Amino acid sequence: MNISALKARIRASKDDLYPLPLEQIVVAEGALREAAAFIAKQAESGVVLVADSHTYKAAGSDLHDHLCQKGVKADWHLLEPNSNGDIIADEASLISVMLKVEQSTKLLVAVGAGTIHDIVRFVSGKTNKPFVSIPTAPSVDGFTSLGAPIVVQGSKKTYQLVAPIALFADTVVLQHAPPALIAAGFGDMVGKYTSLFDWKIGSLLKSEAYSDLVADLTEEALSACVDKVADIGKRTSAGVQVLMESLLTSGLAMALFGYSHPASGAEHHLSHYWEMEALRLGKKQLLHGAKVGLSTQIINRFYKNTVLPDVHRFLGDDEAKQVIALVEALPDPDDVKALLEQAGWNEALVPIAPELVEESLQHAYLLRDRYTLLRLYREGTTMKKEGETHVGRS
């Protein structure tokens, strides 16, 4: 990634942004060796590496060998899955990592995909110990962000904490990631169609904070993925590099803005709702990006088929015109599905019951205190109906 060019764009922007959080980002073959060199400069001891059994095999073992060659003393902590075989960013996982952090600990290293990073990010932020990111799959856009979605007492809450001080993604490791994780990463990027839309809606209709530069960065990352979807589906070196860099750009955009608005709209609210229901029922978790791929299609279709014909019911003429133009500019849901399938996604990855989909369309907007078109529609039409009933009784 061209960090210098990004810094130049930030300097030229008039937007009020947070500083770029990472010192170094490397997405390349051989990045694990560069990671070891960077870590050796930070600390010769007091390094805690966090992984699970799969990500240890994928990258952790090689990284540990490179660190030993550099004379770095590092301790491992392998996270344990729950009874469903899932690693969950919940109280038990957080405490297990917290117990590994000593006063002498100088650096944490997250080796894995999104959930492992969420756990390490939370512990890093709460203990004031910096962390380094080693992604093992291009599966989510949260690697470089500040947010850590954590499950507390069965409910998911995102804590704005810290970004890693550096990130090293080895393209050889990424190419060998399970195809479902790569497809999920593309699904997380496809979600930017509706997240950018909802962010714009919140800005236009409710004066929520907005950044043209951050929106541009996110949209450019989405376009780069769409342009390379065939390579991503084939898991070529070029394909996984574009996907990884696009996910990282999306995460950096969130970090610059300070919140997840650019990359998380109603489609993510549906996904979070489904995840919380699975937790409540003790079911195995589905891949985040795979869910977002489905929820993006659902929200897109809902906006076009349900909200658009009803828009004058809850918005004035001028606002309605703006919303109509933006909804019509969204891609066709079937085209979104075709892109996802080209990247390796399929509906079998996301067996969500139609009843849960309908329930989430009714209630998921309540999960986040932000404006989306789904929230405006639900609250606006409800108020209209209540107002009409009141008038009829008078």
Side-chain angles (χ1 to χ4, degrees), residues 94-136:
L94 295 175
I95 290 172
S96 74
V97 177
M98 285 277 195
L99 292 174
K100 291 292 293 185
V101 178
E102 307 284 351
Q103 188 172 355
S104 59
T105 300
K106 300 182 181 69
L107 188 69
L108 302 173
V109 181
V111 183
T115 301
I116 291 172
H117 277 72
D118 294 336
I119 294 166
V120 173
R121 185 188 317 280
F122 186 93
V123 173
S124 172
K126 293 300 183 180
T127 62
N128 201 30
K129 306 288 186 181
F131 85 99
V132 171
S133 166
I134 311 291
T136 55

Side-chain angles (χ1 to χ4, degrees), residues 56-79:
Y56 177 82
K57 292 176 183 176
S61 179
D62 286 345
L63 175 63
H64 196 212
D65 289 345
H66 295 320
L67 288 172
C68 288
Q69 292 170 14
K70 295 286 185 182
V72 176
K73 295 180 180 179
D75 292 328
W76 274 106
H77 178 67
L78 295 184
L79 292 160

Side-chain angles (χ1 to χ4, degrees), residues 234-251:
K234 295 174 184 175
R235 291 185 290 164
T236 68
S237 178
V240 297
Q241 176 144 1
V242 166
L243 177 57
M244 188 77 249
E245 290 186 350
S246 296
L247 290 164
L248 298 180
T249 298
S250 177

Side-chain angles (χ1 to χ4, degrees), residues 129-276:
K129 306 288 186 181
F131 85 99
V132 171
S133 166
I134 311 291
T136 55
S139 55
V140 294
D141 67 355
F143 295 112
T144 50
S145 72
L146 303 174
I150 301 297
V151 177
V152 180
Q153 296 181 336
S155 294
K156 195 167 189 178
K157 180 180 178 181
T158 298
Y159 294 83
Q160 296 297 318
L161 292 162
V162 294
I165 59 172
L167 179 145
F168 301 87
D170 197 307
T171 53
V172 174
V173 174
L174 301 182
Q175 279 184 274
H176 287 88
L181 286 175
I182 295 173
F186 188 81
D188 209 11
M189 286 307 304
V190 160
K192 307 324 168 209
Y193 280 125
T194 45
S195 66
L196 286 169
F197 167 91
D198 276 329
W199 188 26
K200 190 70 172 178
I201 291 292
S203 171
L204 288 173
L205 304 188
K206 294 296 181 178
S207 300
E208 288 193 331
Y210 192 82
S211 164
D212 288 321
L213 174 60
V214 169
D216 287 345
L217 289 171
T218 307
E219 190 164 1
E220 289 164 14
L222 169 59
S223 296
C225 276
V226 170
D227 289 344
K228 286 288 187 180
V229 63
D231 285 323
I232 292 169
K234 295 174 184 175
R235 291 185 290 164
T236 68
S237 178
V240 297
Q241 176 144 1
V242 166
L243 177 57
M244 188 77 249
E245 290 186 350
S246 296
L247 290 164
L248 298 180
T249 298
S250 177
L252 287 174
M254 287 188 277
L256 289 169
F257 185 65
Y259 296 94
S260 63
H261 293 61
S264 176
E267 78 296 324
H268 271 68
H269 301 164
L270 262 62
S271 174
H272 292 326
Y273 193 94
W274 302 340
E275 179 176 352
M276 288 167 59

Side-chain angles (χ1 to χ4, degrees), residues 29-50:
E29 184 175 345
L32 289 180
R33 290 185 180 277
E34 295 192 52
F38 178 88
I39 292 168
K41 290 180 181 179
Q42 303 297 312
E44 294 182 354
S45 62
V47 177
V48 176
L49 308 167
V50 181

